[in-house]
């Protein structure tokens, strides 16, 4: 073999060796096994629409506490909130925007969002919608609420045992079955321990209006009420009661921090566990468009700790009634129940059906007020 041929072979071998060595440090080709899916997995986008600000210390605040619990328990979730969204056409626009931005689950948390939620859901079949307190569903729309009337009954017992004037004021939001049911349950509780007491109702026709709610409570205090209850989203009525040296029953959250000298207890919500369960069902593909109406035994509703002014006797009565409710052997609207005229609406031993409770349009005996038509 001549010198030139030997040199050519040696060069070729060196080039091949260099190519092999350099190939060891090359980037992984596109056809190689991809990185684990979890590393590049995007967070699940979940949105919440609130009728009031999250700082209302009431309804929207309670839902936002539930949202925070959801994020804590499911870190793979990313949430968006929309505050102070008016019910009606404007809410439909907001819900549409949230669907457009890639949110896969949207919780709409006020009764007036019902039709807008249904309308938007038709356009986005791959998004799961959950409407709070409504009654309409679709293939991708479910509803959820809790039997807060059970907690209302217990707070009614507290108010009935506390009042001295036998006039209890109730600041009410909207004349819809949900609010009417709450007033009736509260009154049933009051009258179970104090048949002489009356529950006087004033309507505000608002969910969130601090000044108007407080003024409504003041009018009830002027009319002789010495305990104020409410179905409103701010602690305004409780603050009015405290300023007058009277007592109050809060709603949505424990309102004792806002009026510590007045608040006896509060009917409260605990949305967090439900939000976690619902989002997990979507992730696991087990979600169904159910109409959830959870009882106190689920933990979704309860009463807040008692204020120091509540007597041991009252606490015992409430505890006994709560045990009956938790046993599921008895419920608040068990007959006999009369309406304001004294006519028997629910016979003795009979329990109102969910359908009848969900369509309440009359007041029980003991309520002083009318339902606007």
């Amino acid at each position: 073999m001549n010198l030139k041929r030997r040199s050519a072979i040696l060069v070729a071998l060196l080039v091949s060796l260099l190519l092999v060595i350099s190939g060891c440090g090359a980037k992984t080709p596109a056809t190689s096994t991809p990185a684990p899916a979890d590393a590049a997995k995007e967070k699940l986008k979940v949105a919440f629409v609130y009728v009031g600000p999250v700082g209302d210390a009431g309804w929207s605040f309670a839902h936002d506490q539930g949202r925070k619990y959801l994020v804590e328990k499911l870190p793979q979730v990313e949430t968006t909130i929309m505050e102070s969204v008016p019910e009606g056409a404007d809410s439909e626009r907001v819900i549409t925007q949230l669907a457009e931005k890639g949110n896969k689950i949207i919780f709409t948390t006020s009764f007036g969002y019902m039709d807008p939620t249904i309308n938007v859901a038709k356009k986005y079949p791959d998004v799961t919608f959950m409407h709070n307190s409504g009654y309409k569903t679709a293939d991708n729309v479910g509803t959820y609420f809790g039997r807060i009337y059970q907690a209302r009954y217990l707070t009614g017992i507290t108010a009935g045992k506390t009042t001295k004037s036998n006039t209890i004021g109730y600041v009410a939001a909207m004349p819809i079955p949900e609010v009417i049911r709450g007033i009736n349950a509260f009154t049933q509780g009051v009258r179970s321990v104090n048949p002489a007491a009356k529950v006087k109702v004033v309507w505000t026709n608002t969910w969130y209006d601090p000044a108007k709610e407080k003024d409504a409570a003041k009018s009830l205090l002027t009319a002789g009420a010495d305990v104020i209850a409410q179905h409103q989203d701010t602690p305004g009525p409780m603050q009015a009661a405290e300023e007058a040296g009277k007592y109050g029953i809060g709603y949505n959250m424990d309102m004792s921090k806002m009026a510590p000298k007045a608040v006896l207890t509060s009917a409260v919500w605990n949305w967090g566990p439900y939000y976690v369960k619902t989002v997990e069902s979507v992730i696991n593909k087990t979600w169904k468009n159910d109409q959830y109406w959870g009882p106190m035994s689920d933990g979704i509703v309860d009463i807040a700790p008692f204020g120091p002014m509540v007597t041991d006797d009252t606490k015992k009565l409430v505890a006994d009634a709560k045990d009956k409710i938790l046993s599921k052997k008895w419920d608040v609207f068990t007959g006999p129940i009369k309406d304001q005229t004294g006519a028997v609406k629910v016979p003795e031993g009979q329990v109102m059906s969910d359908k009848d409770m969900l369509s309440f349009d009359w007041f029980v005996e003991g309520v002083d007020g009318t339902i606007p038509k």
Side-chain angles (χ1 to χ4, degrees):
M1 184 181 293
N2 62 38
L3 184 61
K4 285 185 178 180
R5 180 172 178 80
R6 186 184 301 168
S7 297
I9 292 171
L10 182 60
V11 169
L13 288 170
L14 288 171
V15 170
S16 298
L17 181 60
L18 286 171
L19 286 173
V20 170
I21 293 171
S22 65
C24 292
K27 292 182 180 179
T28 304
T31 54
S32 297
T33 303
D38 288 343
K41 198 171 186 179
E42 290 187 5
K43 288 197 172 187
L44 177 67
K45 293 184 177 181
V46 181
F48 293 78
V49 185
Y50 302 144
V51 74
V54 293
D56 65 2
W59 178 256
S60 295
F61 180 77
H63 280 286
D64 204 54
Q65 292 299 108
R67 177 192 67 82
K68 290 178 179 178
Y69 181 90
L70 168 67
V71 173
E72 177 189 340
K73 297 298 181 182
L74 299 180
Q76 70 268 41
V77 168
E78 174 185 306
T79 62
T80 297
I81 65 170
M82 297 298 288
E83 306 176 61
S84 302
V85 177
E87 296 173 320
D90 202 42
S91 66
E92 186 164 334
R93 175 185 61 79
V94 170
I95 299 166
T96 299
Q97 287 178 347
L98 291 170
E100 283 287 333
K101 290 179 178 178
N103 288 285
K104 293 302 181 184
I105 308 172
I106 301 176
F107 292 95
T108 55
T109 65
S110 191
F111 181 80
Y113 298 155
M114 180 169 63
D115 288 335
T117 299
I118 293 292
N119 293 340
V120 177
K122 292 175 184 176
K123 304 172 190 174
Y124 300 92
D126 294 332
V127 177
T128 300
F129 296 83
M130 291 298 300
H131 177 243
N132 185 271
S133 77
Y135 55 85
K136 292 183 179 180
T137 64
D139 288 345
N140 58 332
V141 182
T143 66
Y144 67 107
F145 205 55
R147 295 179 186 266
I148 195 69
Y149 70 86
Q150 295 176 333
R152 295 272 191 199
Y153 180 87
L154 301 179
T155 64
I157 292 174
T158 309
K161 288 292 291 182
T162 303
T163 182
K164 301 296 187 223
S165 67
N166 284 339
T167 298
I168 298 169
Y170 201 111
V171 183
M174 303 284 187
I176 61 174
E178 173 196 338
V179 181
I180 296 167
R181 184 171 60 248
I183 295 168
N184 285 341
F186 178 79
T187 304
Q188 289 288 98
V190 168
R191 304 268 291 187
S192 72
V193 295
N194 187 350
K198 295 280 187 180
V199 177
K200 188 174 181 62
V201 176
V202 169
W203 298 98
T204 63
N205 292 305
T206 65
W207 293 116
Y208 179 82
D209 190 327
K212 193 169 186 178
E213 294 169 29
K214 191 171 184 179
D215 285 344
K218 288 179 178 178
S219 72
L220 289 164
L221 291 162
T222 300
D226 60 354
V227 179
I228 299 293
Q230 65 177 80
H231 191 134
Q232 299 281 186
D233 292 354
T234 79
M238 299 299 95
Q239 292 165 337
E242 181 168 88
E243 289 169 11
K246 305 301 181 183
Y247 295 114
I249 300 289
Y251 176 50
N252 292 307
M253 299 292 293
D254 182 355
M255 290 186 165
S256 61
K257 290 182 180 178
M258 290 74 178
K261 295 180 181 178
V263 176
L264 302 166
T265 185
S266 304
V268 299
W269 292 100
N270 179 26
W271 297 109
Y274 177 78
Y275 282 145
V276 170
K277 183 179 179 181
T278 301
V279 171
E280 284 181 333
S281 72
V282 175
I283 293 172
N284 298 332
K285 302 187 185 303
T286 58
W287 179 86
K288 296 179 181 179
N289 60 338
D290 294 330
Q291 292 187 288
Y292 174 77
W293 197 17
M296 184 176 287
S297 56
D298 278 6
I300 195 167
V301 300
D302 206 343
I303 61 171
F306 294 107
M309 67 291 284
V310 178
T311 66
D312 289 341
D313 176 50
T314 299
K315 292 177 184 177
K316 177 66 165 56
L317 289 169
V318 172
D320 290 345
K322 185 175 181 178
D323 286 344
K324 286 173 62 180
I325 292 170
L326 291 174
S327 74
K328 299 184 180 181
K329 295 178 181 177
W330 179 88
D331 202 15
V332 172
F333 295 109
T334 300
I337 300 175
K338 298 178 181 179
D339 66 13
Q340 287 173 301
T341 69
V344 175
K345 298 286 284 187
V346 183
E348 184 170 359
Q350 184 174 315
V351 182
M352 284 189 76
S353 67
D354 283 358
K355 180 180 178 181
D356 288 341
M357 283 192 279
L358 290 167
S359 59
F360 250 126
D361 60 358
W362 52 274
F363 278 145
V364 299
E365 186 177 50
V367 178
D368 178 3
T370 58
I371 300 172
K373 301 299 183 184

